[in-house]
Amino acid sequence: MLKQVIEVYELLDSAYVNGERVAEVLRERGLDKVEVHRIEGERGSTDFIKIIVPGKNGKLSGGDSPTLGIIGRLGGIGARPEMIGLVSDADGAITAIAVALKLADMRKNGDVLDGDVIIATHICPNAPTQPHDPVPFMGSPVDMATMNKYEVDPRMDAILSVDTTKGNRIINVRGFAITPTVKEGWILRVSDDLLDIMQYVTGKMPAVVPITMQDITPYGNGVYHINSILQPATATNAPVIGVAITAEVPVPGCATGASHIIDIEQAARFCIEVAKGFGRGKVKFYDEEEFKRLVELYGPMKHLQTLGRKEE
C-alpha cells in the first residue's frame, strides 16, 4: 500500500487542502458514496469526510455481512501558522484515506470485500495545539462530541480507531500497536484474531497499548487520557479497537517531519486485512458469550461512556 499512502501524504501536505479536494480524488478513483461536512468551531473549522465502500454482500445491497468502521482520529493534519507542513497527528487521517483509495483500487481489480466499509476522518490543515504531558498535543477546532457525531456511524458493527499515539512513555515501539477491545464501558481481552493479523502484516510479535479506565471515558471530565484513540467507544455500543501508530520516544502531535511512511503503510494494510476477515465473519473483535457473562455477573458499565456524576 505504499503507493496509496504516499499519494495521500502528498495530497494532505498542503496549506490549501480541504475535504472537497480529498473527496474529488476519491470520486475520481470510483468511490461515489463520499460526504463532506464543513463544521465551524470556536477555534476555526474542519471538514469531516465519510466514505462508504459497498461490499458484495453488504447491508447496502441487502446482504447480511457486517459493516466495519475505520475512523482516522486526530486533532488536525496541520498546525499552521505555528508549524509548517504535515504534523505527526495527521497519521490517522493519512491511514484512513489511504485505506479508502486501496479499497477503490481493489474493486477496480475485481477484489470486492464481502461487507461494507465505512471510513471517516476530518481534514484541518490549521488546527490549534494544546499543552499535554510529556509532550504537546494537537488541539481541534471542534469538540469531541462533534467529532463523534460525524465520525461514529450507527451502521458500523465494529470500529477500528486509528490515531497517532506517540506522545507518551507507556507504548515505546516503532510501528503500530492495538488496544484491547472496548465495548459499552468494558475493557475486554485483546482480540486473538486481530493479534494474528497484526503478526502476519508486520512479521513481528504484536504490540498492545496498555489502556486504563480513564482512557475510555469521554473528554471533558477533567481526567488524564493517553489520547483520543478510544473516544469513539463513548458514542457507540459497537466494539472498538484502537490502532495506535507509535514511536520509541515521546513525539509531540504537532511535530512536523515525524510521520513514518512505512509505519502508516503497515497500519493501513492491517486495517484492510481486518476488513476482509470481518466482512466474512472470520474475524471477531470480542467473545459475545463472555461479554454477556460479564454483564450478568457485574452489571453494565455504560456509565463510563458518560461524563459521570455532576459535581454538586
Side-chain angles (χ1 to χ4, degrees):
M1 284 188 60
L2 278 174
K3 175 179 179 292
Q4 290 82 8
V5 171
I6 292 171
E7 187 176 356
V8 175
Y9 186 101
E10 293 298 325
L11 173 66
L12 299 187
D13 190 14
S14 166
Y16 307 116
V17 70
N18 56 34
E20 286 297 341
R21 175 60 188 135
V22 174
E24 180 183 340
V25 171
L26 292 164
R27 291 176 184 130
E28 287 172 356
R29 290 290 257 277
L31 298 176
D32 56 1
K33 298 183 184 302
V34 182
E35 304 172 6
V36 178
H37 298 278
R38 172 157 292 190
I39 304 299
E40 299 285 342
E42 293 182 0
R43 295 183 291 176
S45 65
T46 190
D47 291 344
F48 286 95
I49 184 166
K50 182 176 292 184
I51 310 115
I52 300 177
V53 184
K56 59 187 176 184
N57 190 41
K59 295 175 182 177
L60 280 174
S61 59
D64 58 2
S65 292
T67 300
L68 180 67
I70 298 173
I71 295 175
R73 182 45 65 105
L74 67 158
I77 61 172
R80 299 173 180 86
E82 183 177 352
M83 306 296 290
I84 298 174
L86 206 66
V87 295
S88 174
D89 202 42
D91 291 359
I94 299 171
T95 303
I97 302 299
V99 166
L101 285 185
K102 180 62 176 178
L103 290 174
D105 293 343
M106 288 170 61
R107 289 179 66 84
K108 284 185 179 179
N109 292 327
D111 285 331
V112 180
L113 272 58
D114 289 74
D116 303 330
V117 179
I118 301 176
I119 300 162
T121 190
H122 71 104
I123 308 299
C124 180
N126 50 6
T129 61
Q130 67 184 46
H132 186 270
D133 184 50
V135 290
F137 266 3
M138 285 291 292
S140 176
V142 297
D143 60 25
M144 192 58 62
T146 302
M147 284 192 187
N148 283 339
K149 176 182 176 181
Y150 286 94
E151 293 178 347
V152 179
D153 192 299
R155 293 170 291 184
M156 297 173 175
D157 294 310
I159 295 173
L160 293 177
S161 176
V162 189
D163 197 346
T164 312
T165 309
K166 300 176 182 177
N168 65 83
R169 294 189 177 95
I170 62 170
I171 179 67
N172 309 127
V173 296
R174 166 73 187 277
F176 77 94
I178 63 172
T179 71
T181 302
V182 177
K183 178 174 167 60
E184 298 178 48
W186 281 92
I187 300 176
L188 303 174
R189 62 179 290 191
V190 184
S191 165
D192 284 329
D193 290 341
L194 272 73
L195 289 174
D196 286 342
I197 293 172
M198 188 177 182
Q199 289 183 166
Y200 303 155
V201 164
T202 64
K204 300 186 297 184
M205 292 296 293
V208 176
V209 183
I211 59 172
T212 66
M213 300 294 282
Q214 290 135 284
D215 298 321
I216 69 169
T217 61
Y219 271 25
N221 60 3
V223 303
Y224 179 92
H225 296 73
I226 183 173
N227 65 357
S228 67
I229 191 167
L230 290 169
Q231 288 302 292
T234 66
T236 179
N237 288 335
V240 178
I241 290 177
V243 180
I245 299 175
T246 55
E248 292 184 5
V249 297
V251 177
C254 56
T256 57
S259 293
H260 302 280
I261 294 293
I262 298 300
D263 300 349
I264 298 170
E265 190 274 341
Q266 286 192 346
R269 190 154 34 93
F270 171 81
C271 292
I272 293 284
E273 294 305 309
V274 172
K276 290 178 185 177
F278 185 72
R280 288 185 166 180
K282 302 291 186 182
V283 168
K284 297 178 67 174
F285 277 51
Y286 72 108
D287 185 314
E288 292 89 346
E289 290 302 317
E290 187 169 77
F291 177 73
K292 182 180 177 182
R293 178 65 173 159
L294 283 169
V295 175
E296 288 175 350
L297 287 172
Y298 303 107
M301 299 289 281
K302 289 187 176 184
H303 56 283
L304 289 172
Q305 295 176 284
T306 74
L307 289 173
R309 298 174 180 172
K310 294 182 180 180
E311 296 182 5
E312 296 181 0

